[in-house]
């Protein structure tokens, strides 16, 4: 419980055996009253075993569905078990659990709260095509949601029971759908969206991709996903 609310932390994980146990233990250490579910997204390593040994509830998918598919599983669990709040936390350790109570507090007046990397907290930065894409997405989605959003691709998000119910019935599994299309659909359906500043940390394990080619591809895909999301919403 946080501020009288029953809270579930959802951690989508695909081959994150190098960090998952530490992430689960850190969240439990900082917030001992919350529940944690790790959705093992078809991992081929021992992610599920390490998560369970660290004290998490584990839902193991038979094959890789992507972040969207994993999160949909988590939201259905949250709905079926009566949670008031569900919060996405990445399995690589970039999300600091000390910010989670602030995300929960912001849900008093909003349906979805984004932990924003580019809102004045910490020194996280991106450059080149990925930065251009993020700025473009933030500008469009800010207009749609009628509030200023600076980090619309952040995966650190909190939602209330109304949004949990919505996501349990509909949550896109396509590439970038879990960030871009979700915000378009929520804005079009009258959900209240906001952000709070958070500081992101380096990955605990694994190597992030900084390839210029992949960044350019990301820019093109982001435009396409946004266009399709607006058309379909």
């Amino acid at each position: 419980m946080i501020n009288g609310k029953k809270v579930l932390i959802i951690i989508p994980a695909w081959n994150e055996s190098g960090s998952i146990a530490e992430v689960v233990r850190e969240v439990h250490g900082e917030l001992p009253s919350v529940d944690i579910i790790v959705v093992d997204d078809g991992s081929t390593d021992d992610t599920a075993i390490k998560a369970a040994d660290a004290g998490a509830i584990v839902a193991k998918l038979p094959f890789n569905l992507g972040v969207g598919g994993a999160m949909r599983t988590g939201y259905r669990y949250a709905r079926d078990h009566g949670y008031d709040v569900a919060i996405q936390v990445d399995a690589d350790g970039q999300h600091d659990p000390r910010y989670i109570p602030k995300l929960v507090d912001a849900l008093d007046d909003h349906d979805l709260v984004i932990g924003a990397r580019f809102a004045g907290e910490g020194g996280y930065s991106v450059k080149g095509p990925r930065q251009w894409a993020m700025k473009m997405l933030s500008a469009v989605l800010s207009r749609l949601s009628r509030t200023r959003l600076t980090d619309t691709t952040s995966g650190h998000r909190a939602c209330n029971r109304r949004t949990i119910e919505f996501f349990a019935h509909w949550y896109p599994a396509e590439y970038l759908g879990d960030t871009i299309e979700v915000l378009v659909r929520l804005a079009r359906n009258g959900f209240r969206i906001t952000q709070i500043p958070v500081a992101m940390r380096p990955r605990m394990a694994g190597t992030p991709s900084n390839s210029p080619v992949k960044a350019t591809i990301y820019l093109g895909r982001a435009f396409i996903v946004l266009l399709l999301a607006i058309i379909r919403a």
Side-chain angles (χ1 to χ4, degrees), residues 17-113:
S17 63
S19 59
I20 189 63
E22 185 173 351
V23 170
V24 171
R25 285 194 290 264
E26 183 184 27
V27 174
H28 267 153
E30 189 70 32
L31 303 164
S33 62
V34 306
D35 294 330
I36 301 172
I37 182 169
V38 173
V39 183
D40 184 334
D41 191 18
S43 296
T44 56
D45 62 9
D46 58 351
T47 292
I49 295 172
K50 289 190 174 182
D53 288 345
I57 303 160
V58 176
K60 188 169 176 60
L61 302 181
F63 48 84
N64 182 251
L65 295 177
V67 175
M71 287 303 300
R72 184 167 53 201
T73 299
Y75 286 125
R76 288 177 176 174
Y77 183 91
R79 175 199 62 190
D80 294 345
H81 290 81
Y83 286 92
D84 302 305
V85 174
I87 301 175
Q88 180 179 348
V89 171
D90 284 354
D92 59 13
Q94 288 188 298
H95 297 160
D96 190 334
R98 290 176 296 180
Y99 288 96
I100 287 176
K102 293 183 179 181
L103 293 171
V104 175
D105 287 344
L107 287 171
D108 288 343
D109 302 307
H110 299 88
D111 300 302
L112 180 79
V113 181

